Amino acid sequence: MNNDVLVIGGGIAGIQAALDLAEMGVQVHMVEKLPSIGGKMAQLDKTFPTNDCAI
Amino acid sequence: MLDVGRHPRINLLAYSEVENVSGDAGNFRVKVRKKARFVNEDLCTGCGTCAEKCPTMTVDVFNAELGSRKAIYKYFPQGIPSIYTIDKDACRQLGQGKKCGICAKVCQAKAVDFEQNDGEIQLHVGAIVVATGYDVFDPSVIPEHGYGRIANVVTALEFERLLSASGPTAGHLDRPSDMALEKEIDDLEKEHKKLSRQLKQLEEKHGKSSAQVMDLVKSGAAAADKDLHNWAASAERFGELEARLEPMRQKIGAAQPAKKLAFIQCVGSRDFRFNKFCSSYCCMHSVKEAMIANEHDNEVSSSIFCMDLRAVGRGFEEYKLRGGKQANIKYVRGRVAEITEDDALNPVVWFESTTSRQVLHETFDMVVLATACVPTAGTPKLAELLGIELDSNGFFKTDPLAPLNATRDGIFVCGCAQGPMDIPESVAQASSAAARAAEVVAPARQVAAAGSQ
């Protein structure tokens, strides 16, 4: 048995999953295809329905 | 994003891909290929001097290919990890085999490494969370919408980059046709400047004016003199450029940012030719984009063309109504049949208004296509590697009563990897998937904790 978790994808879902796991004390490995994490959400200017900044 | 880069328990492998997976729940062995950045991650400080001095420009994928960036680049300014990468295909040295190496010369940290190879990493994990997201549907396969043919028809994500203060237009709604014209003028002006310099040099050297040389060549007096012929050809091209540039400059001087926008809903979704499913977030996405555009410039008005506007979610219906009242948004019920282009490069939208039962057409400055959310190109391959199934739409299959579970133990799917959803839902699912993955590895963690006591 191994107690690490692999997260594939560094968009908003991957980021949230990785942070939650890491905060629980789990060692996480995150693999992202692109040079930076952030995913599609980083490309958005604002988000609905609050018009908050996406980054 | 920043927290992920800093967290002591997160090993961030960016610019990497999963190559092979073996084993079972509690005991997966994963091979990851770390792609060569040609920049040493441990040495790069992210200062950006390399990109400043890099002589090669290429299209900026992050800005939906609307802007340009250097061949050595950071995916976006706030990107994590904050290190640079060389785009191998665009780089003069790596891709074109020319002599360059300017980035290596200016890098004080000595981080540039043209010899770097792909690396291989073996991971041993108990559970896997799949959060691979989605791709934007390519609307160029719908001929009637004219995407790719009509410059001022853009996708919702492209429009998002135009709206962004850190985007290619610094947040101004410049029309793509005007941006293209500006680029053409820039290119022609460069050529114009070069020719002007050449002709001036020739005139000074030979003591003849270019007009005289052109007359000589025309009259046949310069029969075999190749240099004179070349001179005359350059002079002719110079005249051509002058004549072409003037009206273009006038046109760009009169160009106005977009003020009248149309949003077309269900582009590639709820369409039996492409995807039957509803992409769910696009209705609200269009309302948001129309509102932000109006916030930026209160003369902006928008028409949203939809079969029905699906504002399902907390605060969404109120948001839609607020857009209509405060942001000059008109909701038009009807499916768009065709988009054409007029002489001023304005898109003309032809549609049936199902409320008035008439076929109408209206001219806009720009049209935004609310493109569908589709599975990523790499989804089938990843499913094969992980040994999990896809659903009928091509997303990762999950169980309705255990909505985070993939079809194999120890693997969980969250966010748009399992189907279209908005950000709050993705985040909620991600937290759930994290909890499920933690359950799988809990026994091993307890054993490890007991061992260390």
Side-chain angles (χ1 to χ4, degrees):
Chain A
M1 280 290 265
N2 192 282
N3 52 8
D4 291 4
V5 172
L6 168 67
V7 175
I8 308 173
I12 183 60
I15 287 174
Q16 184 66 45
L19 286 175
D20 280 9
L21 283 161
E23 286 301 308
M24 282 183 239
V26 177
Q27 173 65 43
V28 181
H29 306 276
M30 177 187 272
V31 174
E32 164 60 47
K33 179 172 68 171
L34 292 171
S36 309
I37 57 167
K40 291 281 189 302
M41 186 171 168
Q43 283 176 284
L44 303 182
D45 182 41
K46 304 270 169 57
T47 58
F48 60 79
T50 49
N51 288 358
D52 285 333
C53 188
I55 289 187
Chain B
M1 216 161 55
L2 194 60
D3 292 342
V4 172
R6 282 181 180 160
H7 206 291
R9 278 188 294 276
I10 300 179
N11 169 27
L12 178 54
L13 302 166
Y15 211 41
S16 303
E17 286 185 48
V18 172
E19 286 238 300
N20 193 25
V21 181
S22 60
D24 286 304
N27 227 340
F28 289 109
R29 302 248 170 213
V30 183
K31 190 167 98 180
V32 176
R33 188 165 63 89
K34 205 164 177 358
K35 293 180 272 188
R37 283 182 193 262
F38 304 101
V39 171
N40 185 321
E41 291 194 14
D42 299 325
L43 296 177
C44 178
T45 59
C47 72
T49 313
C50 51
E52 210 175 283
K53 303 286 182 199
C54 174
T56 314
M57 298 299 285
T58 184
V59 285
D60 188 351
V61 179
F62 179 77
N63 274 327
E65 303 192 359
L66 289 166
S68 54
R69 61 155 165 80
K70 297 293 181 74
I72 185 163
Y73 69 110
K74 210 152 95 170
Y75 191 54
F76 60 102
Q78 302 88 341
I80 301 287
S82 182
I83 44 182
Y84 281 75
T85 305
I86 296 181
D87 181 335
K88 196 179 162 194
D89 299 327
C91 174
R92 276 166 72 149
Q93 182 147 331
L94 288 167
Q96 300 162 16
K98 291 182 187 162
K99 223 176 148 210
C100 182
I102 293 174
C103 50
K105 271 177 223 144
V106 298
C107 180
Q108 289 189 354
K110 303 272 172 261
V112 178
D113 176 7
F114 291 112
E115 308 294 318
Q116 199 178 67
N117 290 314
D118 287 4
E120 203 178 276
I121 294 164
Q122 294 286 348
L123 298 174
H124 190 192
V125 297
I128 299 175
V129 175
V130 179
T132 46
Y134 69 100
D135 275 352
V136 173
F137 174 78
D138 174 12
S140 59
V141 298
I142 310 180
E144 61 268 30
H145 284 160
Y147 178 79
R149 182 166 45 84
I150 303 172
N152 295 322
V153 174
V154 299
T155 67
L157 202 65
E158 286 168 350
F159 191 70
E160 197 76 43
R161 294 317 301 155
L162 293 177
L163 279 178
S164 172
S166 60
T169 58
H172 301 296
L173 280 183
D174 295 341
R175 304 199 314 161
S177 64
D178 296 331
M179 287 160 73
L181 180 64
E182 216 164 315
K183 186 167 182 301
E184 201 184 341
I185 292 177
D186 272 357
D187 291 345
L188 290 180
E189 270 178 348
K190 260 184 217 152
E191 196 189 342
H192 180 263
K193 211 170 149 187
K194 198 173 149 194
L195 279 176
S196 149
R197 209 169 43 227
Q198 279 174 358
L199 291 174
K200 204 174 154 198
Q201 275 174 358
L202 283 169
E203 282 173 357
E204 277 169 11
K205 193 172 159 194
H206 298 285
K208 278 186 214 153
S209 78
S210 296
Q212 282 172 332
V213 174
M214 281 171 85
D215 286 344
L216 265 177
V217 169
K218 259 187 215 150
S219 66
D225 194 329
K226 217 172 160 191
D227 289 343
L228 284 182
H229 275 276
N230 286 344
W231 184 347
S234 297
E236 199 174 332
R237 173 79 185 147
F238 183 75
E240 241 178 65
L241 286 179
E242 293 235 295
R244 263 180 74 189
L245 272 166
E246 197 39 47
M248 283 166 89
R249 285 195 191 112
Q250 276 175 8
K251 210 168 151 191
I252 201 79
Q256 291 283 331
K259 300 225 185 271
K260 197 176 167 202
L261 308 173
F263 291 83
I264 318 289
Q265 297 309 114
C266 303
V267 175
S269 38
R270 298 175 75 195
D271 184 332
F272 277 40
R273 294 171 299 171
F274 307 106
N275 301 294
K276 290 177 192 164
F277 58 82
C278 164
S279 291
S280 78
Y281 59 71
C282 353
C283 281
M284 297 311 291
H285 190 193
S286 292
V287 175
K288 181 209 75 177
E289 289 192 324
M291 279 176 86
I292 302 291
N294 179 269
E295 247 173 42
H296 179 72
D297 175 355
N298 61 17
E299 284 177 25
V300 169
S301 65
S302 306
S303 297
I304 300 184
F305 293 90
C306 52
M307 292 190 262
D308 48 358
L309 201 110
R310 298 186 162 178
V312 187
R314 195 163 71 169
F316 289 6
E317 183 65 21
E318 294 90 321
Y319 188 72
K320 179 189 109 182
L321 296 175
R322 181 151 64 96
K325 277 189 201 136
Q326 298 174 3
N328 252 332
I329 304 176
K330 192 170 81 181
Y331 301 102
V332 184
R333 207 184 77 189
R335 186 118 179 157
V336 172
E338 195 181 5
I339 302 171
T340 54
E341 193 177 31
D342 72 7
D343 293 340
L345 305 178
N346 296 314
V348 183
V349 175
W350 296 77
F351 62 101
E352 183 200 1
S353 164
T354 49
T355 39
S356 67
R357 293 202 278 177
Q358 277 177 305
V359 175
L360 304 168
H361 64 92
E362 198 173 344
T363 305
F364 292 91
D365 295 337
M366 216 196 279
V367 170
V368 184
L369 304 177
T371 32
C373 163
V374 295
T376 63
T379 296
K381 193 186 158 203
L382 186 61
E384 203 185 317
L385 286 177
L386 293 170
I388 57 177
E389 290 171 35
L390 300 178
D391 66 15
S392 58
N393 294 326
F395 292 100
F396 292 105
K397 191 173 177 181
T398 51
D399 182 346
L401 292 177
L404 287 314
N405 290 22
T407 53
R408 195 175 162 201
D409 284 350
I411 302 180
F412 305 95
V413 187
C414 59
C416 287
Q418 61 160 268
M421 65 185 70
D422 62 15
I423 294 165
E425 208 179 335
S426 291
V427 171
Q429 280 212 340
S431 289
S432 310
R436 299 305 305 273
E439 271 175 46
V440 174
V441 297
R445 288 180 62 211
Q446 281 160 5
V447 171
S452 66
Q453 271 169 10

